[in-house]
Amino acid sequence: MIWPPNALSLSGGERNMAMKYRLLSALVIIALASIHFIGRQVTKYDPGKPVPIPKTAQRTGNAAKGYTYLTTGDYVKGGLPLEIFQMGKLKEQNNYLHRSGTNETIPYNFTAITASNGVQLVAPNCLQCHAQLFNDSLVIGMGNSLMDFTAGDQLNAKNMGLLANLLKANSPAKYEAARNFIQVTGTISPYLKTAVRGVNAADRLAAVLVAHRDPLTLQWRDSASMPIPDEVIPSDVPAWWLLKKKNAMFYNGFGRGDFGRFLMASNLLTVSDSSEAAEVDKKISDVLAYLYTLEPPKYPEKINTKLARKGESVFIDNCSKCHGKYGAGGEYPNLLVPAAIIKTDSALYSSNYQNPQFVNWFNNSWFSLGDHPAQLVPYSGYIAPPLDGIWCTAPYLHNGSVPTLEALLNSKTRPTYWSRDYPKPAYNYTAVGWEYKIHDTPAGNTVYNTTLKGYGNYGHYFGDKLSAPEREAVIEYLKTL
């Protein structure tokens, strides 16, 4: 994410301030991803067989109210004073969400809110991670694969201190309104940095936040109460429209129970206490109801229907056992695929077992209480996701390490080092995925490096056994989903 895009047109003082807010924006984006709490819970599985995930009843709500709350609500309670935000000259040009008032003038992934003392703030919202501009249209629910958190180490307490001093000197009321936001982001920022752009550091962010929150009151602690892991494990952002088919959340299916409790976890960034969280909790079922209405975009190019029908037969014979069947009478099996079968990069699910303090925090926290509790149940492997709209959700695998469907189904063609153009990479409708450039060696944070821990592109070798014509047919069929 580049903010502000026209920073060089600002004066020196404005430019310095704008750059600080650019860094701040990049930080808070991470907090709005579907946060992956991590830890250990002893559950015995047969390591050689997929495991079905049982269904849990979910709360119902009003989808229209959920959309309004998602796009204009104050579920993130803190942010920057409006005047400070506007110094970055980041303005909404298209009003993609058709919002009114102040929200009409700011980007879709921010929301104007009012602090308790009446100061107007601009807060990041969930669309930072869960929406993306695609073919010049905003697609709500599409995971944002164009994020850039490689500057995480620059988001440090010193910058937050400078911002705090600026506000204290010029407007104590604005400082008071933004104080909690500045304090929290200043504390967590030194921990966050990904090795390459285009991936999310939600697991790391969640770990830092819960380490500084009381599990029952949710109040902020200046000192971490538990060890924070050193590694930043990357992940891709899954599509929201898949949620209606799922019995559990997250890539390893360990988000069990009430989905609303996980959806509102971004509130941990600025929540004052559990009573404030309870107010958000009352409205989050409406958001879930809205997410259940989302459908993937239709493939915009011409589809070879004869080839797609052949691909459907190949898919049913080779892929449907785990990924389900589609169309009339379709069904999705909700299967967890063990590590011995899937063989993909293990860093994400392994981190759940290597840091048991976080699952203990969550499973004994406010989120696990009440009449719609949530719980974490780690697993050594990953869920086989539904494939609705898979044509537009590149890059692939849980860490976004494979740029196209063509490469996903033929592991021999997966690039070790690859890059996309930024900020607007081109899409390849034949290979189905991002146009990319292959590199011979690592080249800094602009090139995806699959040799790094957590960034591996291995595993999911099931397409390798297919012939080239069969793979071509399956890809044509997947365009129809």
Side-chain angles (χ1 to χ4, degrees):
M1 180 177 182
I2 301 175
W3 181 38
N6 57 347
L8 295 178
S9 67
L10 307 180
S11 67
E14 288 177 327
R15 184 160 61 251
N16 289 338
M17 185 60 64
M19 291 305 293
K20 290 170 186 170
Y21 301 148
R22 173 193 172 194
L23 297 174
L24 180 61
S25 174
L27 166 67
V28 297
I29 289 172
I30 305 174
L32 296 169
S34 297
I35 295 180
H36 302 186
F37 295 91
I38 53 182
R40 179 193 304 273
Q41 186 175 75
V42 177
T43 305
K44 293 184 178 180
Y45 300 107
D46 183 335
K49 295 182 179 179
V51 178
I53 303 173
K55 188 172 184 177
T56 304
Q58 300 297 325
R59 287 181 279 170
T60 58
N62 184 304
K65 289 182 179 179
Y67 173 80
T68 300
Y69 190 59
L70 175 69
T71 57
T72 65
D74 61 351
Y75 45 88
V76 176
K77 299 290 185 179
L80 300 175
L82 176 62
E83 295 83 353
I84 300 295
F85 181 88
Q86 290 173 332
M87 288 179 63
K89 297 187 178 181
L90 185 63
K91 296 182 179 180
E92 177 65 89
Q93 302 297 323
N94 298 287
N95 195 13
Y96 292 104
L97 300 177
H98 306 292
R99 298 186 296 185
S100 59
T102 303
N103 282 319
E104 183 179 357
T105 67
I106 63 177
Y108 63 86
N109 48 6
F110 291 91
T111 300
I113 63 174
T114 302
S116 58
N117 64 355
V119 171
Q120 194 163 30
L121 303 173
V122 177
N125 63 39
C126 289
L127 302 189
Q128 295 273 358
C129 288
H130 293 284
Q132 183 172 293
L133 290 174
F134 191 82
N135 288 338
D136 297 320
S137 297
L138 180 68
V139 183
I140 296 178
M142 178 180 285
N144 185 358
S145 70
L146 301 177
M147 299 169 289
D148 186 355
F149 301 128
T150 59
D153 59 341
Q154 299 177 48
L155 297 162
N156 51 46
K158 180 179 179 181
N159 283 343
M160 295 302 99
L162 292 173
L163 177 58
N165 290 336
L166 174 69
L167 291 176
K168 285 179 182 178
N170 291 278
S171 177
K174 291 177 182 177
Y175 167 72
E176 185 58 31
R179 179 176 58 83
N180 188 31
F181 184 79
I182 292 171
Q183 178 190 31
V184 174
T185 53
T187 299
I188 63 181
S189 60
Y191 293 95
L192 304 174
K193 184 179 181 181
T194 56
V196 302
R197 62 190 180 187
V199 293
N200 197 290
D203 280 58
R204 173 73 158 180
L205 190 277
V208 179
L209 284 176
V210 303
H212 284 271
R213 294 282 182 189
D214 181 276
L216 295 178
T217 69
L218 303 184
Q219 292 176 331
W220 181 257
R221 295 165 168 169
D222 289 336
S223 299
S225 63
M226 62 186 77
I228 299 172
D230 294 330
E231 297 174 324
V232 181
I233 305 299
S235 62
D236 189 41
V237 182
W240 261 346
W241 55 73
L242 302 178
L243 197 57
K244 67 172 73 69
K245 289 188 173 183
K246 290 185 175 182
N247 292 345
M249 293 184 69
F250 311 124
Y251 282 109
N252 65 344
F254 75 153
R256 308 295 179 89
D258 184 72
F259 286 0
R261 288 289 172 92
F262 294 109
L263 291 174
M264 65 172 290
S266 60
N267 181 248
L268 281 176
L269 182 67
T270 56
V271 68
S272 296
D273 54 34
S274 57
S275 63
E276 187 175 282
E279 292 302 311
V280 176
D281 185 63
K282 293 176 182 177
K283 302 176 181 179
I284 208 68
S285 58
D286 292 333
V287 175
L288 181 62
Y290 168 68
L291 299 189
Y292 280 172
T293 70
L294 294 176
E295 296 293 337
K298 298 293 184 182
Y299 183 77
E301 304 290 313
K302 185 178 180 179
I303 294 176
N304 184 330
T305 54
K306 183 178 180 180
L307 184 61
R309 284 195 295 270
K310 292 181 179 178
E312 182 178 12
S313 296
V314 177
F315 179 89
I316 290 174
D317 291 342
N318 294 274
C319 314
S320 63
K321 179 180 178 180
C322 291
H323 289 291
K325 297 179 181 179
Y326 299 82
E331 57 183 2
Y332 171 62
N334 271 282
L335 291 179
L336 288 166
V337 183
I341 295 176
I342 191 64
K343 299 180 180 179
T344 50
D345 193 300
S346 64
L348 188 63
Y349 73 74
S350 294
S351 67
N352 301 337
Y353 292 96
Q354 293 164 358
N355 300 284
Q357 64 271 29
F358 298 106
V359 77
N360 292 335
W361 185 97
F362 188 86
N363 287 345
N364 291 283
S365 75
W366 176 87
F367 292 93
S368 68
L369 302 177
D371 56 2
H372 44 268
Q375 187 183 34
L376 298 179
V377 183
Y379 176 75
S380 293
Y382 299 108
I383 193 171
L387 302 181
D388 307 77
I390 189 173
W391 73 267
C392 65
T393 60
Y396 300 104
L397 296 185
H398 67 273
N399 54 11
S401 59
V402 180
T404 66
L405 274 180
E406 193 174 75
L408 181 66
L409 293 178
N410 184 358
S411 66
K412 297 180 181 64
T413 66
R414 297 175 191 173
T416 302
Y417 311 108
W418 60 275
S419 65
R420 294 176 278 173
D421 289 335
Y422 270 75
K424 290 186 176 182
Y427 213 73
N428 185 321
Y429 292 95
T430 301
V432 185
W434 296 107
E435 293 279 9
Y436 64 93
K437 178 181 178 181
I438 296 176
H439 298 261
D440 295 330
T441 59
N445 56 28
T446 64
V447 174
Y448 200 107
N449 181 355
T450 66
T451 68
L452 298 174
K453 181 179 179 180
Y455 295 80
N457 65 355
Y458 46 85
H460 194 278
Y461 297 125
F462 312 111
D464 290 354
K465 67 181 180 180
L466 303 177
S467 67
E470 287 175 328
R471 283 193 289 268
E472 182 183 7
V474 168
I475 290 174
E476 201 68 13
Y477 168 64
L478 292 176
K479 296 174 183 178
T480 71
L481 301 185

